[in-house]
């Protein structure tokens, strides 16, 4: 069941999106060679709490941290720990905050210092896939128009779309209906209506799209060890178009 949000609820979700985005900005400016992913997690948690929010991920189905920190071949759900970033790595930071009962959820993948040309291209293509996906999320269109926008763009650039994880509705819970796959033919699935709020999150690999989950039950890595990138925004469908709730100061 898709839960449409009222104008008053959207205002609260805007605040959740803003807290999430500002906390991620703090993490982003902390990323450098030599830092551990645990230190980045601490920056995120402090920033979320200082803004009056609650880390959305911590305790979610037993998840132990406030961010997912996914380095290189880790696609999503990397658990922060003692790993030190090295020049040339790419790291996806996925972060969520609950403010006044509503969730914000977003992710960006960053280069650590100078990265390979291939890595840079992967980041650019995955970012542009998210941009196109959001542009496709217009009222009156359907969920799989978002999916197709991602898949067609990514595959045209020689990369692959992960199938095992999807975007999702979001609101008073982090995961609500509908599921928002990053692949599939256009024109299918629920119609996009004003009041729907979606977390759109393309996950893209350099090589094969298959992923496997490590023994910790969370860390999802590419089966072939190739690099992966992940970008996510929380967006609201409105009468007049689509509003990105997790970009309070543009991007
Ligand atoms: N952005 C991720 C998602 O949409 C965050 C989940 S991480 C978890 O599912 F640890 F909280 F599960
Ligand atoms: Co999400």
């Amino acid at each position: 069941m898709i839960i449409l949000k009222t104008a008053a609820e959207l205002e609260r979700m805007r605040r959740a999106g803003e807290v999430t985005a500002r906390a991620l900005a703090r993490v982003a400016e902390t990323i450098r060679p030599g830092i551990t992913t645990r230190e980045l997690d601490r920056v995120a948690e402090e920033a979320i709490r200082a803004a009056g929010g609650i880390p959305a991920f911590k305790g979610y189905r037993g998840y132990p941290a406030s961010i997912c920190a996914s380095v290189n071949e880790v696609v999503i759900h990397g658990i922060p720990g003692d790993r030190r970033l090295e020049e040339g790595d790419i790291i996806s930071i996925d972060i969520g905050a609950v403010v006044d009962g509503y969730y914000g959820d977003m992710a960006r993948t960053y280069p650590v210092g100078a990265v390979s040309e291939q890595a840079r291209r992967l980041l650019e293509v995955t970012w542009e896939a998210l941009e196109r996906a959001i542009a496709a999320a217009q009222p009156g269109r359907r969920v799989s128009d978002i999916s197709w926008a991602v898949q067609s763009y990514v595959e045209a650039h020689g990369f692959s779309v992960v199938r095992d994880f999807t975007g999702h509705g979001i609101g008073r819970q982090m995961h609500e209906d509908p599921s928002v796959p990053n692949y599939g033919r256009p024109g299918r699935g629920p119609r996009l209506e004003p009041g729907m709020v979606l977390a759109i999150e393309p996950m893209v690999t350099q090589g094969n799209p298959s992923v496997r989950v490590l023994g910790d039950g969370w860390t999802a890595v590419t089966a072939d060890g190739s690099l992966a990138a992940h970008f996510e925004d929380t967006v609201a469908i409105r009468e007049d178009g689509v509003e990105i709730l997790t970009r309070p100061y543009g991007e």
Side-chain angles (χ1 to χ4, degrees):
M1 183 199 48
I2 297 173
I3 303 169
L4 300 180
K5 278 73 183 178
T6 64
E9 288 180 293
L10 282 185
E11 185 49 39
R12 292 158 84 176
M13 294 202 72
R14 224 168 260 131
R15 285 171 46 218
E18 174 162 3
V19 169
T20 306
R22 290 190 185 283
L24 180 54
R26 286 282 302 115
V27 175
E29 66 194 26
T30 310
I31 291 173
R32 55 172 167 76
I35 198 156
T36 67
T37 51
R38 180 177 284 113
E39 289 172 280
L40 298 177
D41 185 61
R42 197 172 49 81
V43 168
E45 178 163 3
E46 282 178 9
I48 291 169
R49 293 195 192 280
I54 300 166
F57 299 174
K58 208 168 193 176
Y60 179 85
R61 298 182 187 217
Y63 189 75
S66 299
I67 58 171
C68 302
S70 304
V71 181
N72 296 342
E73 77 287 355
V74 182
V75 184
I76 53 167
H77 299 168
I79 300 174
D82 294 327
R83 179 168 185 164
R84 281 186 196 283
L85 298 184
E86 292 175 24
E87 174 108 17
D89 284 343
I90 58 173
I91 179 170
S92 142
I93 305 291
D94 192 345
I95 184 168
V98 190
V99 176
D100 199 12
Y102 288 82
Y103 282 77
D105 186 6
M106 76 184 297
R108 298 284 184 269
T109 306
Y110 302 98
V112 181
V115 301
S116 70
E117 175 66 19
Q118 263 291 93
R120 205 180 50 70
R121 269 207 344 117
L122 177 68
L123 300 189
E124 274 176 16
V125 167
T126 312
W127 170 255
E128 182 61 22
L130 174 61
E131 295 282 78
R132 286 170 182 245
I134 294 170
Q138 301 297 331
R141 299 187 67 183
R142 290 185 185 271
V143 165
S144 87
D145 293 328
I146 299 171
S147 315
W148 177 243
V150 173
Q151 182 183 9
S152 57
Y153 183 76
V154 166
E155 292 181 351
H157 288 79
F159 294 130
S160 304
V161 161
V162 170
R163 267 109 169 126
D164 293 10
F165 298 94
T166 67
H168 49 91
I170 180 168
R172 247 201 255 262
Q173 299 198 349
M174 183 156 62
H175 296 137
E176 294 182 358
D177 286 341
S179 151
V180 184
N182 293 302
Y183 63 95
R185 304 253 134 238
R188 319 267 171 104
R191 205 173 278 287
L192 301 174
E193 283 182 58
M196 274 189 198
V197 183
L198 305 174
I200 300 178
E201 47 180 319
M203 289 154 259
V204 174
T205 68
Q206 255 184 338
N208 194 286
S210 304
V211 304
R212 70 190 172 85
V213 176
L214 300 186
D216 60 21
W218 285 103
T219 313
V221 300
T222 55
D224 65 3
S226 69
L227 292 177
H230 175 213
F231 288 84
E232 175 177 23
D233 275 307
T234 298
V235 309
I237 315 301
R238 300 170 21 153
E239 302 274 0
D240 59 352
V242 55
E243 175 182 352
I244 307 175
L245 303 180
T246 39
R247 296 190 201 176
Y249 34 75
E251 201 162 348

